[in-house]
Amino acid sequence: MKRRSWAEPYKIKMVEPLRMLSKKEREKAIVEAGYNTFLLRSEDVYIDLLTDSGTSAMSDRQWAGLMLGDEAYAGSRNFYHLEETVQNIYGYKHLVPTHQGRAAEHMISKILIKEGDFIPGNMYFTTTKLHQEMAGAKFVDVIIDEAHDPNSEYPFKGDIDLNKLQALIDKVGADKIPYVAMATTVNMAGGQPISLKNLKALRKLTQKYGIDIVHDMTRVAENAYMIQQKEEGYQDKTVAEIVKEINDLTDHATMSAKKDALVNIGGFLATNDPNVFQEARNMVVVYEGLHTYGGLAGRDMEAMAIGIKESVMDDHQRARVGQVQYLGDLLLKAGVPVVKPIGTHGVFLDAKAFYPHLSQDEFPAQTLAAELYVDSGVRAMERGVVSAGRNKETGKHNYPKLELVRLTIPRRVYTQAHMDVVAESVIDVYENAKNAGGLKMVYEPKYLRFFQARFEKL
Ligand code: F0G
């Protein structure tokens, strides 16, 4: 077969110049940021792979949509466009817009959780778990064991272990489990997808016990693309068809539209349950704004409606995920320890394997993210012991098996040459790994500490 590279299904109309600090300036900047890449100024960053959240490039259609913003307080035309898009593309009946994903998590947790409940999920996400806990629940990880092993090549490491779920049901009783939290894809596992086979089996089991499924659909189109590529029987389906099929197996959804849906801000809660809808529509006016804008401008909702449609195009996902795989392949070829298989929104470096001489108390992933910034101005994010926080009862660190640094790729922003530079820098840092010392935490905020914690060199 003739070889054909994937390439972007767009061309570039506007550019944003970057500047590059000297190494000396970067060393100073990381000390001032307390060795926390969240505390760097964006202007001091060359290639920003902190997150794919709100950092994507909008299309000319989306920018044009901003001009069609109907900024009426109530009943904005853009709300109705968004509602119709969520119904048609995603298949959920009712929509409550929110300013971003965690606001939807806040509401669904408050509506469905009672004090003393248990929420099983396919690994945790930081904000999702915190809202569940603040509503009185205990989170229980029921993802398959492969997800905790960076070297397992299993293609659907987002799958739920139904035996673990059954064991929890048997132990605490179905009436203490209002819902299963199911994410597409699983961010903390390395952007790993769930299979439709597993989701169908999950649906069967949960329906037997009257347990709902709350779908964190933040990266559902990327998950659908992986199903199309890797799951038997889906090669001839479109990403859009697979997205619909996933959603149809769930009851409610929370969305951070800052990822898949290609906007800089926005999210929503969607549900098929009219009672949950009534409650959420009422709650949103307390926390976000009227139910037809939920903390967003009309123009934001317009850009989101257009972005949702673009996000389920096959050629878009081929280029988006293709770019992530390209970077992953460069690192794999160089023998750099990364989470395998490569996920959809970023490449995750295995910091434990980089720094076998550092214990988790010396924050290997936090160290690696700082080293990478100093080397090249590439900004990444810690996803290890700092992100995992402390155990609520014992006050001790949670020690996750995965101690990772995430190179997260914004959508439609960077070029293949940028990916080459990133790979070259990661390889250099890996070659110098034995010289790295660890860090100690000198300031620790109470909630979601990874955002604002400060460190010093040991
Ligand atoms: N769920 C998942 C799977 C996420 O990745 C995020 C955000 C959220 C929920 C919360 O949404 O930020 O709009 O309130 N993830 C970002 C990240 C912050 O960098 O991974 P939000």
Side-chain angles (χ1 to χ4, degrees), residues 30 35-37 40 349 351 355 363-375 378-383 404-406 429 439:
I30 198 73
Y35 292 89
N36 186 344
T37 52
L40 288 167
L349 307 176
Y355 302 136
F363 307 111
Q366 192 77 32
T367 303
L368 176 52
E371 294 281 329
L372 187 62
Y373 171 73
V374 171
D375 183 69
V378 170
R379 170 155 71 171
M381 184 194 291
E382 193 265 7
R383 293 275 82 153
L404 307 176
V405 166
R406 187 181 71 174
V429 170
L439 296 169

Short mmCIF file of all heavy atoms in Angstrom, two decimals, residues 30 35-37 40 349 351 355 363-375 378-383 404-406 429 439:
data_model
loop_
_atom_site.label_atom_id
_atom_site.label_comp_id
_atom_site.label_asym_id
_atom_site.label_seq_id
_atom_site.Cartn_x
_atom_site.Cartn_y
_atom_site.Cartn_z
N ILE A 30 11.17 29.18 37.25
CA ILE A 30 10.63 27.98 37.91
C ILE A 30 10.82 28.09 39.43
O ILE A 30 9.98 27.61 40.20
CB ILE A 30 11.22 26.67 37.33
CG1 ILE A 30 10.35 25.46 37.69
CG2 ILE A 30 12.65 26.41 37.80
CD1 ILE A 30 9.06 25.35 36.96
N TYR A 35 8.47 25.68 41.71
CA TYR A 35 8.59 24.41 40.98
C TYR A 35 7.22 23.83 40.61
O TYR A 35 7.07 22.61 40.48
CB TYR A 35 9.42 23.39 41.78
CG TYR A 35 10.87 23.80 41.88
CD1 TYR A 35 11.31 24.60 42.94
CD2 TYR A 35 11.78 23.45 40.90
CE1 TYR A 35 12.62 25.04 43.02
CE2 TYR A 35 13.09 23.87 40.97
CZ TYR A 35 13.50 24.66 42.03
OH TYR A 35 14.80 25.07 42.09
N ASN A 36 6.24 24.70 40.47
CA ASN A 36 4.91 24.24 40.07
C ASN A 36 4.56 24.90 38.73
O ASN A 36 4.43 26.13 38.65
CB ASN A 36 3.88 24.63 41.14
CG ASN A 36 2.50 24.05 40.84
OD1 ASN A 36 2.23 23.63 39.71
ND2 ASN A 36 1.65 24.05 41.84
N THR A 37 4.41 24.10 37.69
CA THR A 37 4.19 24.66 36.35
C THR A 37 2.87 25.43 36.25
O THR A 37 2.71 26.26 35.38
CB THR A 37 4.23 23.55 35.27
OG1 THR A 37 3.34 22.50 35.65
CG2 THR A 37 5.64 22.99 35.11
N LEU A 40 3.61 29.20 36.70
CA LEU A 40 4.41 29.95 35.72
C LEU A 40 3.50 30.94 34.98
O LEU A 40 2.31 30.68 34.79
CB LEU A 40 5.00 28.99 34.68
CG LEU A 40 6.14 28.08 35.12
CD1 LEU A 40 6.35 26.99 34.05
CD2 LEU A 40 7.42 28.87 35.34
N LEU A 349 4.37 10.70 30.59
CA LEU A 349 5.70 10.17 30.92
C LEU A 349 5.65 9.46 32.26
O LEU A 349 5.01 9.97 33.22
CB LEU A 349 6.71 11.33 31.00
CG LEU A 349 6.77 12.25 29.78
CD1 LEU A 349 7.75 13.41 30.05
CD2 LEU A 349 7.19 11.47 28.53
N ALA A 351 7.18 8.93 35.40
CA ALA A 351 8.23 9.59 36.20
C ALA A 351 8.94 8.62 37.13
O ALA A 351 10.12 8.78 37.42
CB ALA A 351 7.63 10.75 36.99
N TYR A 355 13.01 8.33 37.21
CA TYR A 355 13.77 8.61 38.44
C TYR A 355 13.62 7.49 39.45
O TYR A 355 13.01 7.70 40.52
CB TYR A 355 13.28 9.92 39.07
CG TYR A 355 13.37 11.14 38.18
CD1 TYR A 355 12.32 12.05 38.11
CD2 TYR A 355 14.53 11.40 37.44
CE1 TYR A 355 12.41 13.18 37.31
CE2 TYR A 355 14.62 12.54 36.64
CZ TYR A 355 13.57 13.42 36.58
OH TYR A 355 13.65 14.54 35.80
N PHE A 363 8.45 13.53 45.16
CA PHE A 363 7.65 14.08 44.06
C PHE A 363 8.34 13.98 42.69
O PHE A 363 8.65 14.99 42.06
CB PHE A 363 7.29 15.55 44.37
CG PHE A 363 6.63 15.71 45.71
CD1 PHE A 363 7.28 16.35 46.76
CD2 PHE A 363 5.37 15.19 45.95
CE1 PHE A 363 6.69 16.48 48.00
CE2 PHE A 363 4.76 15.31 47.20
CZ PHE A 363 5.42 15.96 48.23
N PRO A 364 8.55 12.73 42.23
CA PRO A 364 9.24 12.55 40.94
C PRO A 364 8.56 13.25 39.76
O PRO A 364 9.24 13.83 38.92
CB PRO A 364 9.24 11.03 40.75
CG PRO A 364 8.63 10.42 41.94
CD PRO A 364 8.25 11.46 42.91
N ALA A 365 7.23 13.19 39.69
CA ALA A 365 6.56 13.79 38.52
C ALA A 365 6.64 15.32 38.57
O ALA A 365 6.85 15.99 37.55
CB ALA A 365 5.11 13.32 38.45
N GLN A 366 6.50 15.87 39.77
CA GLN A 366 6.64 17.32 39.93
C GLN A 366 8.05 17.75 39.50
O GLN A 366 8.23 18.76 38.81
CB GLN A 366 6.41 17.68 41.41
CG GLN A 366 6.22 19.15 41.69
CD GLN A 366 4.83 19.65 41.31
OE1 GLN A 366 3.86 18.92 41.39
NE2 GLN A 366 4.75 20.89 40.88
N THR A 367 9.04 16.94 39.90
CA THR A 367 10.44 17.20 39.53
C THR A 367 10.62 17.16 38.02
O THR A 367 11.24 18.05 37.43
CB THR A 367 11.35 16.13 40.18
OG1 THR A 367 11.14 16.14 41.60
CG2 THR A 367 12.82 16.37 39.87
N LEU A 368 10.06 16.14 37.40
CA LEU A 368 10.24 15.96 35.95
C LEU A 368 9.61 17.13 35.17
O LEU A 368 10.21 17.64 34.21
CB LEU A 368 9.63 14.62 35.53
CG LEU A 368 9.63 14.26 34.05
CD1 LEU A 368 11.02 14.40 33.42
CD2 LEU A 368 9.10 12.84 33.84
N ALA A 369 8.44 17.57 35.58
CA ALA A 369 7.79 18.69 34.88
C ALA A 369 8.66 19.94 34.98
O ALA A 369 8.81 20.69 34.01
CB ALA A 369 6.40 18.94 35.45
N ALA A 370 9.27 20.15 36.15
CA ALA A 370 10.15 21.33 36.33
C ALA A 370 11.41 21.20 35.48
O ALA A 370 11.84 22.17 34.84
CB ALA A 370 10.50 21.48 37.82
N GLU A 371 12.00 20.02 35.45
CA GLU A 371 13.23 19.80 34.66
C GLU A 371 12.96 20.06 33.17
O GLU A 371 13.79 20.64 32.47
CB GLU A 371 13.72 18.35 34.83
CG GLU A 371 14.21 18.00 36.23
CD GLU A 371 15.62 18.52 36.52
OE1 GLU A 371 16.42 18.61 35.58
OE2 GLU A 371 15.90 18.84 37.69
N LEU A 372 11.82 19.60 32.70
CA LEU A 372 11.48 19.75 31.29
C LEU A 372 11.31 21.23 30.93
O LEU A 372 11.79 21.70 29.90
CB LEU A 372 10.18 18.98 31.00
CG LEU A 372 9.75 18.89 29.55
CD1 LEU A 372 10.79 18.15 28.72
CD2 LEU A 372 8.39 18.18 29.44
N TYR A 373 10.67 21.97 31.83
CA TYR A 373 10.51 23.41 31.58
C TYR A 373 11.87 24.10 31.51
O TYR A 373 12.13 24.90 30.59
CB TYR A 373 9.64 24.06 32.67
CG TYR A 373 9.65 25.56 32.54
CD1 TYR A 373 8.96 26.18 31.51
CD2 TYR A 373 10.43 26.35 33.39
CE1 TYR A 373 9.02 27.56 31.33
CE2 TYR A 373 10.49 27.73 33.22
CZ TYR A 373 9.78 28.32 32.19
OH TYR A 373 9.86 29.68 32.01
N VAL A 374 12.74 23.78 32.44
CA VAL A 374 14.06 24.43 32.45
C VAL A 374 14.84 24.06 31.19
O VAL A 374 15.51 24.89 30.58
CB VAL A 374 14.84 24.06 33.74
CG1 VAL A 374 16.28 24.54 33.65
CG2 VAL A 374 14.14 24.65 34.96
N ASP A 375 14.69 22.83 30.74
CA ASP A 375 15.45 22.39 29.56
C ASP A 375 15.03 23.13 28.30
O ASP A 375 15.86 23.51 27.50
CB ASP A 375 15.27 20.87 29.36
CG ASP A 375 16.10 20.37 28.19
OD1 ASP A 375 17.34 20.37 28.31
OD2 ASP A 375 15.52 20.02 27.14
N VAL A 378 9.16 23.94 27.59
CA VAL A 378 7.94 23.16 27.40
C VAL A 378 7.26 23.01 28.76
O VAL A 378 7.89 22.58 29.73
CB VAL A 378 8.26 21.76 26.81
CG1 VAL A 378 7.03 20.86 26.84
CG2 VAL A 378 8.78 21.91 25.38
N ARG A 379 5.99 23.36 28.81
CA ARG A 379 5.26 23.25 30.08
C ARG A 379 4.37 22.02 30.07
O ARG A 379 3.52 21.87 29.21
CB ARG A 379 4.42 24.49 30.33
CG ARG A 379 3.46 24.32 31.51
CD ARG A 379 3.07 25.59 32.16
NE ARG A 379 2.16 26.43 31.37
CZ ARG A 379 1.56 27.51 31.86
NH1 ARG A 379 1.77 27.87 33.12
NH2 ARG A 379 0.77 28.24 31.11
N ALA A 380 4.56 21.15 31.07
CA ALA A 380 3.75 19.94 31.22
C ALA A 380 3.06 19.99 32.59
O ALA A 380 3.16 21.00 33.29
CB ALA A 380 4.63 18.71 31.10
N MET A 381 2.38 18.92 32.96
CA MET A 381 1.65 18.91 34.23
C MET A 381 1.91 17.63 35.01
O MET A 381 1.95 16.55 34.43
CB MET A 381 0.14 18.99 33.95
CG MET A 381 -0.69 19.07 35.21
SD MET A 381 -2.44 18.75 34.95
CE MET A 381 -2.95 20.17 34.03
N GLU A 382 2.04 17.77 36.32
CA GLU A 382 2.17 16.62 37.22
C GLU A 382 0.85 15.87 37.30
O GLU A 382 -0.21 16.49 37.46
CB GLU A 382 2.54 17.13 38.62
CG GLU A 382 3.01 16.06 39.59
CD GLU A 382 1.96 15.46 40.52
OE1 GLU A 382 0.75 15.74 40.39
OE2 GLU A 382 2.35 14.67 41.37
N ARG A 383 0.87 14.54 37.19
CA ARG A 383 -0.32 13.73 37.47
C ARG A 383 0.15 12.55 38.30
O ARG A 383 0.26 11.43 37.83
CB ARG A 383 -1.00 13.26 36.19
CG ARG A 383 -1.62 14.36 35.36
CD ARG A 383 -3.03 14.79 35.74
NE ARG A 383 -3.16 15.74 36.82
CZ ARG A 383 -4.18 16.59 36.95
NH1 ARG A 383 -5.13 16.66 36.04
NH2 ARG A 383 -4.28 17.38 37.99
N LEU A 404 2.89 10.30 37.00
CA LEU A 404 3.04 10.67 35.59
C LEU A 404 3.24 12.16 35.38
O LEU A 404 2.86 12.98 36.21
CB LEU A 404 1.78 10.24 34.82
CG LEU A 404 1.35 8.78 34.97
CD1 LEU A 404 0.04 8.54 34.22
CD2 LEU A 404 2.42 7.82 34.48
N VAL A 405 3.83 12.48 34.24
CA VAL A 405 3.85 13.86 33.74
C VAL A 405 3.11 13.85 32.41
O VAL A 405 3.40 13.03 31.54
CB VAL A 405 5.29 14.37 33.56
CG1 VAL A 405 5.31 15.65 32.72
CG2 VAL A 405 5.92 14.62 34.92
N ARG A 406 2.15 14.74 32.29
CA ARG A 406 1.31 14.74 31.10
C ARG A 406 1.75 15.82 30.12
O ARG A 406 1.81 17.00 30.48
CB ARG A 406 -0.14 14.99 31.54
CG ARG A 406 -1.14 14.84 30.44
CD ARG A 406 -2.54 15.11 30.94
NE ARG A 406 -2.73 16.52 31.22
CZ ARG A 406 -3.89 17.08 31.56
NH1 ARG A 406 -4.96 16.31 31.71
NH2 ARG A 406 -3.98 18.35 31.78
N VAL A 429 16.15 15.27 28.69
CA VAL A 429 15.89 15.20 30.13
C VAL A 429 16.01 13.75 30.61
O VAL A 429 16.54 13.48 31.69
CB VAL A 429 14.50 15.80 30.46
CG1 VAL A 429 14.10 15.52 31.90
CG2 VAL A 429 14.49 17.31 30.20
N LEU A 439 12.10 17.06 45.29
CA LEU A 439 11.55 18.31 45.82
C LEU A 439 10.91 18.06 47.18
O LEU A 439 10.56 16.94 47.52
CB LEU A 439 10.48 18.84 44.86
CG LEU A 439 10.93 19.24 43.45
CD1 LEU A 439 9.72 19.48 42.56
CD2 LEU A 439 11.80 20.51 43.51
#
